Amino acid sequence: MMNGPNLRALTTADFEESMKLSSFAFQYPLTAEQLEERRSSFLTDDVYQVGVFQHEQLCAQATLLHLNVYVNGELFSMGGIAGVSTWPEHRRHGYVARILKELLVKMKENGQSISMLHPFSFSFYRKYGWETYIEYKQYEMSADHLSSLRNKLSGKHLGTVKRVEDWQLLQTTYDRYAKRYNGMLQRGDKWWKESITKRKPGTYAGAYNDQGELDGYMIYEVANRIMTIHEFITLTAAAQQRLMLYIAQHDSMIDRLRWTAPSDDCFAYGLDNPRIKQELIPYFMARIVDVEPFIAQYPFEPSDQEEIFTLQISDEHAPWNNGHFELRIASSGKATLTKVELASPQVIISIGALTSWLLNYQKWQVLKHVEQLEGSEQAMKRLQLRIREHTTYLTDFF
């Protein structure tokens, strides 16, 4: 009798097979030097890797990262799922579903109340409770726009821009910026060294105000007469103008400029000719892993009174989130969520739609329109007033 597939954590002995599968699935060859570099970070305290094996041969795998993410200005422990891959002959056997269910249990044990991932297919991960939580705005403009922008800004006293050699000088500015958005990562030294400096090559330019404070920066590179901005981080309108003037000084060496911004960015509105290419691109998905501790940490909008809502949450793959709940939000914005027995809840919603709502990616009207939300419109309106207006954004990838 043949043994069935076995799910277990990867060990150092699985390194070569794991790299072969990753290299094949994501279509990138690894040099000997890159392999050795990855070997040293294959299994660390902040990484958990799991796979499905048939006769001790790796069939499918995924990586769980221990990260922290900002939601309403607060840091939440987040499980980042990456490297989900399966050999073609083992696809459509439910192996990834088994892995995701295993990772949900693991994240709950870790105290990671929210999870995020970059999907190969949005519809695939929706089946397991993840939902779109972010789209970013991608700009593209010509050098002609840069010339007019330079003329517009050159007479203003905006401070200075200097090239920066040390990424550590950017950390404080990044942190202040990240807290403004839902879904931005908290970056430690390791993340800067291993992710930012390697994935975002080029020049660092810092924007300094008259007090000598760094209130903005950009990471960019120029190749084939195209400037690509990997990060454009500003704390003030003056810092944005300062960096745009710096960009405009490149007009003789570039034909086009490309960069990304939060979905609510209004840069084009300030241009003399706002007819530049703008595209909204769905990016990452998120999912509440453990709804009760998530709500306990989640800061709602303060009010003049305590409010109570009754919810029916559906979550097929994390049964601890499935059922009827009482949501009690204090006037301070502190809340609790408790499982209760209910006959008729005010709000009926899936875990994915609830994630999208609480991260402020979609409001109740949209969720109701696409039939992801049912119940009392009065209760939906009252709950919407307690959800803070923070735009979702992410400048990282994993």
Side-chain angles (χ1 to χ4, degrees), residues 248-263:
Q249 304 291 9
H250 294 72
D251 61 341
S252 64
M253 61 184 295
I254 65 174
D255 296 323
R256 306 201 71 77
L257 166 67
R258 296 172 181 163
W259 82 102
T260 61
S263 58

Side-chain angles (χ1 to χ4, degrees), residues 207 310 320:
T310 54
W320 52 87

Side-chain angles (χ1 to χ4, degrees), residues 41 46 114 215 224 243 304 366 375 387:
S41 60
D46 57 353
I114 188 169
D215 59 357
N224 301 317
L243 286 173
D304 58 358
V366 174
I387 296 174

Side-chain angles (χ1 to χ4, degrees), residues 254-370:
I254 65 174
D255 296 323
R256 306 201 71 77
L257 166 67
R258 296 172 181 163
W259 82 102
T260 61
S263 58
D264 62 351
D265 186 78
C266 55
F267 165 76
Y269 180 76
L271 294 176
D272 291 336
N273 178 11
R275 284 180 173 169
I276 64 173
K277 183 177 179 181
Q278 302 179 59
E279 185 178 4
L280 283 177
I281 301 176
Y283 187 37
F284 259 65
M285 302 182 82
R287 162 210 235 286
I288 295 172
V289 173
D290 199 350
V291 68
E292 291 185 48
F294 179 85
I295 291 294
Q297 188 181 354
Y298 181 90
F300 285 89
E301 192 69 35
S303 177
D304 58 358
Q305 62 182 352
E306 179 184 71
E307 293 186 273
I308 299 174
F309 302 88
T310 54
L311 285 71
Q312 178 181 322
I313 302 172
S314 59
D315 191 343
E316 179 183 352
H317 301 287
W320 52 87
N321 295 329
N322 199 64
H324 295 86
F325 296 84
E326 180 185 83
L327 172 61
R328 187 180 293 265
I329 308 175
S331 58
S332 65
K334 185 75 174 175
T336 59
L337 189 74
T338 309
K339 266 195 174 181
V340 293
E341 294 293 332
L342 290 175
S344 55
Q346 295 171 310
V347 175
I348 302 171
I349 193 168
S350 68
I351 195 68
L354 181 64
T355 303
S356 180
W357 196 7
L358 292 180
L359 291 181
N360 196 46
Y361 175 65
Q362 297 294 352
K363 293 183 169 52
W364 75 269
Q365 297 96 326
V366 174
L367 296 172
K368 185 174 184 296
H369 178 72
V370 299

Side-chain angles (χ1 to χ4, degrees), residues 201-213:
T203 302
Y204 299 170
Y208 293 84
N209 60 24
D210 288 339
Q211 289 71 48
E213 300 166 330

